[in-house]
Amino acid sequence: GAVVSQHPSRVICKSGTSVKIECRSLDFQATTMFWYRQFPKQSLMLMATSNEGSKATYEQGVEKDKFLINHASLTLSTLTVTSAHPEDSSFYICSANGEGSYNEQFFGPGTRLTVL
Amino acid sequence: AQTVTQSQPEMSVQEAETVTLSCTYDTSESDYYLFWYKQPPSRQMILVIRQEAYKQQNATENRFSVNFQKAAKSFSLKISDSQLGDAAMYFCAYFTGTASKLTFGTGTRLQVTL
């Protein structure tokens, strides 16, 4: 099956620092990758959609300069939380779909970010 | 805008019994896909079942089946012979090629008791 990995699984950082989260499709080429944020006991909230080689499309209310997304290859997308603050603490999940499966997303295991 | 509503925040079922989780959605599209995802305590999202709107036949995957009522915009999930491992958050989700993104419901937490 299609496997998506995320690294790191957990990260703790100090307020004001930047954190990068990687999302990789391990056994398929991901034409589109998605980044979600999930608060405790809540649903997934789509932050942005990225296509390889293109600028990400951000959802309304998501700060582009705060959450930098790069999709440099067909197997890797990165989310950088810049100048992180405690309110950025959350669970971040990526997903990806490949050619021929545009309507099915394969999810990564998520990254728990804690900003002190 | 498409919306997905799950009116049951929590449900409980005894092991080996059957439970039905409700989901309704709002859309003006005629071609779309519906999904049920499971999120166990590990928080890994797992696809349980999917339904193409153009198909009248309800999808079935082993102990999981759906009742898809297109006119009523309803998409419920039935879990038969519930097992302890079924305990999780269940999210209903909607996808259309127009928006090319998943819209999730608020989720239903399913408890399975002995």
Side-chain angles (χ1 to χ4, degrees), chain A residues 14-80:
Chain A
K14 292 182 178 179
S15 186
T17 61
S18 294
V19 175
K20 180 183 284 188
I21 302 170
E22 292 186 349
C23 176
R24 293 181 184 273
S25 56
L26 299 185
D27 52 1
F28 68 102
Q29 292 188 323
T31 52
T32 306
M33 286 183 164
F34 305 84
W35 286 95
Y36 296 87
R37 186 172 180 177
Q38 185 179 32
F39 290 107
K41 298 185 179 180
Q42 292 190 24
S43 188
L44 282 71
M45 180 192 79
L46 180 65
M47 299 174 66
T49 302
S50 73
N51 293 292
E52 184 263 338
S54 302
K55 287 186 177 179
T57 301
Y58 290 81
E59 294 298 301
Q60 194 171 9
V62 177
E63 298 177 62
K64 301 178 184 181
D65 296 332
K66 159 71 80 176
F67 300 101
L68 300 179
I69 292 171
N70 184 278
H71 192 163
S73 77
L74 283 172
T75 59
L76 174 65
S77 176
T78 60
L79 167 67
T80 301

Side-chain angles (χ1 to χ4, degrees), chain A residues 38 43 59 103-104 107 112, chain B residues 35 39 44 50 101 105:
Chain A
Q38 185 179 32
S43 188
E59 294 298 301
N103 54 43
E104 182 170 359
F107 287 82
R112 181 180 301 281
Chain B
F35 303 85
Q39 189 180 41
Q44 170 73 59
R50 57 183 283 171
K101 62 183 181 181

